[in-house]
Amino acid sequence: MVGDRFELTPRERDVLFLLAQNYRAPYIAEKLVVSQSTVKTHMRNLYGKLDVHSQAELLLLIDREAEGLSAREEDPASLR
């Protein structure tokens, strides 16, 4: 959902998914078979698009988005 809302690229979505699981750049680079520099570039782009400055802020944003989704699903009027 965050990926759609902020128009993230497929690779940014991959990086976001792993960051959301609290992984760091070295692991993400290994997992995605890219350099750490490439991962950091994707992270910088993500942070800019999402207007966050750290992984902690990113995790808070994801939590807020999830809470908003849950609230909309519980309120049938919000689906209209």
Side-chain angles (χ1 to χ4, degrees):
M1 180 166 152
V2 172
D4 291 337
R5 180 171 171 214
F6 292 96
E7 299 179 1
L8 302 180
T9 67
R11 188 52 105 182
E12 288 169 344
R13 291 170 193 243
D14 293 340
V15 172
L16 175 64
F17 177 76
L18 293 167
L19 287 170
Q21 295 178 57
N22 214 25
Y23 290 119
R24 303 286 185 246
Y27 175 82
I28 294 170
E30 183 179 318
K31 185 80 171 166
L32 299 179
V33 192
V34 297
S35 72
Q36 286 187 46
S37 177
T38 298
V39 170
K40 289 181 181 185
T41 297
H42 288 305
M43 289 172 65
R44 189 171 37 254
N45 292 339
L46 270 170
Y47 287 12
K49 288 181 179 182
L50 302 177
D51 193 28
V52 298
H53 302 95
S54 67
Q55 189 170 0
E57 284 184 29
L58 177 71
L59 296 173
L60 288 172
L61 173 70
I62 291 169
D63 284 345
R64 284 194 305 267
E65 290 289 323
E67 287 173 6
L69 178 61
S70 294
R72 286 189 298 274
E73 289 176 347
E74 292 174 10
D75 180 11
S78 70
L79 299 176
R80 293 184 201 152

